[in-house]
């Protein structure tokens, strides 16, 4: 049976210096056909991971397999099937859009028709002799995306691709990514530090914080985690008595209210019943469901509170 | 992926850059200054005896002493700067070409620029001398012939003598994000070489890489042309070898 794994890293570690370990025990697992969102705040290790995946940094410890082949020994073969956009657009300011792609076209063995197609795809087919340095930031980003698509890659790695794009540009990019995944079967790894930017397009997520993975799984698994970490806000006529009555729920006092972690709304009903049985007047009983953004913030600020789902 | 493909892409990157303008400008300088030289009767009389060979020999001296070394310093800095200035190293290094191919294709572009410079220099020298003969009718060119063997040998020696400087400067240029550092080092070493040759008369000066292009045009200073060119080639192999080793191991260039 064919292994559908596209990217597999095993115990990947990287240090820029003895004092600063950028990555620790990174085990990415990306399957064919996934749109994998790689999330984390700035400085969490996303770009370092992507640079290792593209061979821009040498692996110090651990192992990287792409398309089932070791990156270290099959670098050129692997890179022929990978399109990438790392951070800011990397193109030549003194060349036009077409000339920039022409630089890489023979290297990837792409046809002129393919070059024209990707230029049309990103809406830069009519830029003529206009130099890359005269482009707006959004146009630059789109040309960098065209370059990433030039080799008709099986794997597309995009590091913060929405940088510099206006809201409509972001929506267009999102639609394009979904289209490439759906129609051309491309596996896409897209990094971002904003969850809301990627949650609408990804099928799977990896969340990294301070160089280690906090979560990895499908978007549905993240939603389950979100439910798991919902909270109930309670305010009664006697909060001290309420704490005693609800001690096995580990309530936390927060000013005038108590905050209790609940697994589902059934538990909220149980708590309400307990308080009623204790003859306490309930002034407030408010379930507070975490939105994904809050969950992301929690995962990337208090990493020890939640287990890694791998 | 073959080296020729990488070389073609490297050539394409130089389109509309200052490298080609620099090549033409630098090649015209010696012929231009020499056109205004020989105004004294004595100089002109000497030139009349063997105009082609004397003119080209003196042109080669000026080229080797100053213009060719400075040209090397500039092109070996400007070519890698295309990647640094545009922040394109990461895209180049994630393309499916080996780092050795990237390195050698850049080096090949430098060779093309040097050979074109020498070719243009000779062409402009020809124009300079023929124009001079129009201005000074006593300078009769068709009565004299050019010694082609000496001419070709002269050009080959110029090329080989500059390889040591080329190796060092290419190494500096490809590893340095700063534009000023390789240029500063290049100019500094050229001044030091000129002082060594003209003032200090240091006996071991011929082992100094940047001195070689100066010495080959003054055989009295250092006899043994073949030794000098061999030293130059040896230095080039050493510097380029180290540069390649470093280029292959140090991955991120920003």
């Amino acid at each position: 049976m064919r292994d559908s794994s596209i990217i597999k890293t095993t115990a990947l570690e990287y240090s820029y210096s003895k004092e600063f370990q950028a990555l620790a025990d990174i085990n990415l697992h990306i399957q064919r056909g996934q749109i994998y969102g790689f999330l984390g705040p700035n400085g969490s290790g996303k770009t370092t991971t992507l640079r290792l995946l593209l061979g821009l940094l040498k692996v110090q410890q651990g192992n990287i397999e792409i398309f089932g082949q070791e990156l270290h020994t099959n670098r050129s073969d692997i890179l022929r099937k990978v399109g990438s956009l790392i951070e800011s657009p990397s193109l030549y300011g003194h060349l036009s859009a077409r000339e920039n792609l022409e630089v890489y076209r023979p290297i990837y063995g792409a046809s002129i028709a393919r070059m024209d197609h990707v230029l049309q795809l990103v809406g830069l087919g009519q830029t003529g002799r206009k130099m890359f340095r005269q482009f707006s930031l959004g146009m630059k980003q789109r040309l960098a995306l065209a370059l990433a698509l030039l080799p008709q890659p099986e794997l597309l790695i995009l590091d913060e691709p929405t940088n510099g794009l206006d809201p409509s540009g972001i929506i267009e990019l999102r639609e394009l990514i979904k289209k490439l995944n759906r129609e051309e079967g491309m596996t896409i790894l897209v990094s971002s530090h904003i969850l809301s930017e990627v949650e609408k397009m990804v099928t799977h997520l990896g969340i990294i914080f301070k160089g280690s993975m906090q979560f990895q799984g499908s978007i549905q698994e993240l939603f389950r985690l979100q439910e798991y970490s919902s909270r109930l806000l309670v305010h009664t006529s006697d909060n001290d008595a309420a704490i005693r009555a609800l001690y096995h729920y580990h309530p936390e006092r927060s000013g005038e209210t108590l905050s209790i972690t609940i697994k589902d709304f059934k538990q909220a009903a149980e708590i309400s019943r307990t308080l009623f049985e204790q003859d306490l007047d309930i002034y407030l009983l408010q379930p507070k469901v975490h939105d994904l953004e809050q969950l992301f913030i929690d995962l990337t600020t208090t990493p020890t509170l939640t287990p890694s789902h791998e | 992926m073959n080296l020729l493909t990488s070389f073609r892409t490297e050539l394409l990157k130089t389109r509309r850059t200052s490298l080609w303008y620099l090549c033409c400008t630098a090649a015209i300088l010696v012929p231009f200054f020499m056109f205004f030289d020989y105004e004294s009767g004595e100089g002109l009389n000497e030139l009349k005896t063997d105009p082609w060979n004397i003119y080209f020999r003196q042109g080669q001296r000026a080229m080797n002493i100053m213009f060719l070394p400075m040209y090397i310093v500039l092109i070996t800095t400007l070519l890698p700067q295309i990647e640094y200035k545009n922040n394109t190293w990461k895209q180049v290094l994630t393309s499916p070409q080996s780092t050795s191919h990237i390195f050698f294709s850049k080096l090949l572009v430098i060779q093309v620029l040097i050979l074109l410079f020498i070719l243009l220099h000779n062409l402009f020298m020809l124009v300079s001398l023929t124009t001079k003969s129009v201005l000074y009718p006593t300078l009769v060119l068709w009565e004299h012939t050019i010694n082609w063997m000496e001419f070709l040998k002269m050009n080959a020696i110029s090329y080989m003598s500059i390889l040591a400087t080329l190796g060092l400067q290419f190494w500096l240029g490809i590893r340095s994000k700063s534009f000023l550092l390789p240029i500063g080092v290049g100019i500094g070493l050229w001044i030091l070489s000129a002082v060594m040759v003209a003032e200090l008369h240091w006996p071991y000066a011929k082992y100094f890489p940047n001195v070689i292009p100066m010495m080959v045009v003054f055989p009295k200073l250092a006899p043994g042309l073949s030794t000098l060119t061999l030293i130059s080639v040896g230095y080039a192999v050493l510097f380029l070898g180290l540069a390649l080793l470093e280029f292959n191991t140090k991955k991120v260039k920003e």
Side-chain angles (χ1 to χ4, degrees), chain B residues 218-229:
Chain B
F218 292 108
K220 282 178 192 168
L221 284 176
L225 213 54
S226 53
T227 313
L228 283 173
T229 47

Side-chain angles (χ1 to χ4, degrees), chain B residues 221-240:
Chain B
L221 284 176
L225 213 54
S226 53
T227 313
L228 283 173
T229 47
L230 272 178
I231 293 172
S232 178
V233 173
Y235 269 128
V237 171
L238 174 73
F239 291 139
L240 292 174

Side-chain angles (χ1 to χ4, degrees), chain B residues 13-221:
Chain B
K13 287 177 198 173
T14 64
R15 191 182 278 184
R16 284 193 288 276
T17 63
S18 54
L19 283 162
W20 301 105
Y21 302 109
L22 178 70
C23 180
C24 297
T25 312
I28 208 168
L29 286 175
V30 173
F32 178 78
F33 290 128
M34 283 189 63
F35 180 77
F36 295 102
D37 204 0
Y38 293 102
E39 284 188 350
S40 69
E42 200 182 318
L44 199 60
N45 285 336
E46 192 200 337
L47 189 64
K48 280 175 195 168
T49 58
D50 186 12
W52 292 108
N53 295 316
I54 292 175
Y55 204 68
F56 274 90
R57 208 177 295 134
Q58 297 201 335
Q60 189 216 11
R61 277 187 192 165
M63 179 181 87
N64 260 43
I65 290 169
M66 185 174 174
F67 294 94
L68 187 53
M70 286 299 118
Y71 175 67
I72 297 291
V73 169
L74 286 173
I75 60 169
T76 50
T77 304
L78 288 173
L79 187 79
Q81 279 296 317
I82 294 176
E83 309 293 358
Y84 284 113
K85 203 176 82 184
N86 293 296
N87 192 26
T88 41
W89 271 125
K90 59 180 182 243
Q91 200 70 48
V92 173
L93 294 169
T94 52
S95 62
Q97 347 172 49
S98 72
T99 44
S100 303
H101 277 182
I102 297 166
F103 181 89
F104 284 115
S105 57
K106 286 193 184 297
L107 190 60
L108 273 177
V109 174
I110 295 283
Q111 303 310 311
V112 169
L113 284 163
I114 295 171
L115 294 175
L116 184 66
F117 169 85
I118 294 175
L119 185 77
L120 286 175
H121 164 83
N122 288 320
L123 200 68
F124 290 137
M125 286 295 285
L126 179 80
V127 174
S128 171
L129 186 59
T130 45
T131 315
K132 195 185 273 286
S133 74
V134 174
L135 288 177
Y136 300 98
T138 53
L139 189 66
V140 188
L141 295 180
W142 62 85
E143 286 179 358
H144 301 273
T145 53
I146 191 162
N147 183 341
W148 285 105
M149 274 311 287
E150 190 196 336
F151 173 79
L152 290 174
K153 194 178 158 193
M154 216 161 65
N155 281 301
I157 286 168
S158 282
Y159 174 73
M160 289 175 79
S161 70
I162 207 70
L163 290 178
T165 308
L166 166 74
L168 179 62
Q169 289 298 137
F170 187 70
W171 184 16
L172 286 174
I174 209 156
R175 78 192 304 273
S176 172
K177 189 182 181 181
S178 159
F179 173 78
L180 293 173
L181 182 79
I183 292 204
V185 171
I187 292 173
L189 290 175
W190 179 79
I191 293 170
L192 190 65
S193 304
V195 172
M196 268 186 203
V197 173
E199 298 291 328
L200 301 175
H201 307 295
W202 191 43
Y204 300 108
K206 70 175 178 185
Y207 296 108
F208 192 70
N210 299 57
V211 161
I212 299 168
M214 298 179 188
M215 282 198 163
V216 292
V217 290
F218 292 108
K220 282 178 192 168
L221 284 176

Side-chain angles (χ1 to χ4, degrees), chain A residues 184-310:
Chain A
E184 301 196 23
M186 255 178 229
T187 305
I188 300 164
L189 167 58
V190 54
S191 87
S192 178
H193 58 272
I194 304 165
L195 176 66
S196 58
E197 227 175 58
V198 294
E199 73 170 277
K200 289 186 186 122
M201 63 175 161
V202 299
T203 57
H204 289 75
L205 271 171
I207 295 176
I208 187 171
F209 179 62
K210 288 188 176 174
S212 65
M213 293 299 285
Q214 302 303 313
F215 173 85
Q216 181 166 233
S218 67
I219 197 92
Q220 289 78 15
E221 283 175 286
L222 187 71
F223 277 119
R224 277 202 289 278
L225 184 66
Q226 172 201 13
E227 278 175 26
Y228 178 80
S229 56
S230 295
R231 298 184 81 79
L232 185 70
L233 299 181
V234 178
H235 179 33
T236 64
S237 52
D238 184 349
N239 279 347
D240 291 330
I243 286 173
R244 282 193 297 278
L246 301 171
Y247 73 95
H248 55 278
Y249 290 101
H250 308 292
E252 290 169 27
R253 191 188 285 273
S254 173
E256 286 292 296
T257 56
L258 305 178
S259 174
I260 304 162
T261 302
I262 53 169
K263 285 179 187 167
D264 48 38
F265 293 134
K266 233 183 196 176
Q267 279 196 331
E270 282 170 17
I271 287 168
S272 166
R273 241 186 335 266
T274 307
L275 294 174
F276 182 75
E277 282 162 10
Q278 293 295 317
D279 216 16
L280 291 168
D281 294 334
I282 302 170
Y283 302 149
L284 175 78
L285 190 77
Q286 184 189 0
K288 195 163 189 283
V289 180
H290 264 42
D291 57 10
L292 281 180
E293 203 64 53
Q294 186 57 46
L295 180 66
F296 174 60
I297 291 166
D298 286 352
L299 284 169
T300 55
T301 47
T302 51
T304 51
L305 295 177
T306 32
S308 175
H309 288 57
E310 301 203 13

